[in-house]
Amino acid sequence: LSSSSSSSFKEVQSLHQGRKQNLTFSSNDVHWHPLHANSDLLASAATNSTVVVWNLASKLHKHQQCLLQQHRRSVNRVRWHPSEPNLLLSASQDGTAMLWDIREKGGSKITFQEHARHALDAQWCPHMITNLAVSYDDGSLRVWDARMYQTPKHRIEAHFEPVWCLDW
């Protein structure tokens, strides 16, 4: 982790653990927890299909709070839920978006998947807290309700090229 000012840039804390390194440290995305009470939590989307939750307040040398490993390909995006402190959303090259409850060790709570295209981004709706959107490399978007996750609420064929990012 780094800190910058107008005249300097320095490392504040290293998350590396010992000499042995692996792809859990190679990340496509990171997201700080948005709630003040959990501001020491950070999620990262690793290129080895792992979602890592880091607890920077941990007194142990190991800052990894949990490894979430149900994706089968590289994870592209992680997003904390804006009001539910234990819910984390991820989107992966395997075509899935997963909703994780970090209190449950090792398993996703819900998997959102309709087709086999790469999921590039996932974002929570700020106005309807159970809704989320996922973008895909075929130019499409899906809007899901986490309470009724078997099929998307909306399918939007928006572009001819990949939708790399989205926002509400």
Side-chain angles (χ1 to χ4, degrees), residues 14-71:
S14 175
L15 298 178
H16 291 285
Q17 302 166 7
R19 296 184 189 275
K20 185 179 178 185
Q21 301 299 316
N22 60 45
L23 289 176
T24 303
F25 294 103
S26 177
S27 297
N28 287 328
D29 189 33
V30 295
H31 192 228
W32 287 99
H33 203 292
L35 300 177
H36 181 70
N38 295 54
S39 63
D40 291 324
L41 294 181
L42 172 72
S44 63
T47 59
N48 69 346
S49 74
T50 303
V51 174
V52 184
V53 176
W54 303 87
N55 185 342
L56 303 180
S58 174
K59 301 297 183 206
L60 303 174
H61 179 64
K62 185 177 181 180
H63 292 284
Q64 292 179 355
Q65 180 170 315
C66 60
L67 300 174
L68 306 170
Q69 299 177 307
Q70 286 188 353
H71 283 297

Side-chain angles (χ1 to χ4, degrees), residues 52-118:
V52 184
V53 176
W54 303 87
N55 185 342
L56 303 180
S58 174
K59 301 297 183 206
L60 303 174
H61 179 64
K62 185 177 181 180
H63 292 284
Q64 292 179 355
Q65 180 170 315
C66 60
L67 300 174
L68 306 170
Q69 299 177 307
Q70 286 188 353
H71 283 297
R72 295 179 315 278
R73 301 217 24 220
S74 181
V75 182
N76 294 317
R77 183 72 70 218
V78 287
R79 283 295 174 264
W80 291 103
H81 192 279
S83 61
E84 294 294 330
N86 296 303
L87 297 183
L88 179 63
L89 180 63
S90 61
S92 169
Q93 289 291 106
D94 65 11
T96 65
M98 292 187 180
L99 175 59
W100 309 88
D101 185 332
I102 64 167
R103 295 170 294 192
E104 297 177 18
K105 299 295 180 200
S108 74
K109 185 174 182 178
I110 298 172
T111 300
F112 305 93
Q113 183 174 24
E114 187 184 38
H115 61 343
R117 304 303 302 190
H118 304 312

Side-chain angles (χ1 to χ4, degrees), residues 139-151:
S140 68
L141 302 166
R142 302 289 187 269
V143 177
W144 302 83
D145 185 327
R147 299 167 299 178
M148 298 175 284
Y149 57 89
Q150 291 81 7
T151 59

Side-chain angles (χ1 to χ4, degrees), residues 77 79 121-127 133-135 141 163-168:
R77 183 72 70 218
R79 283 295 174 264
D121 195 2
Q123 299 288 334
W124 291 103
C125 177
H127 310 293
V134 180
S135 68
L141 302 166
V163 179
W164 294 104
C165 61
L166 61 97
D167 202 356
W168 291 88

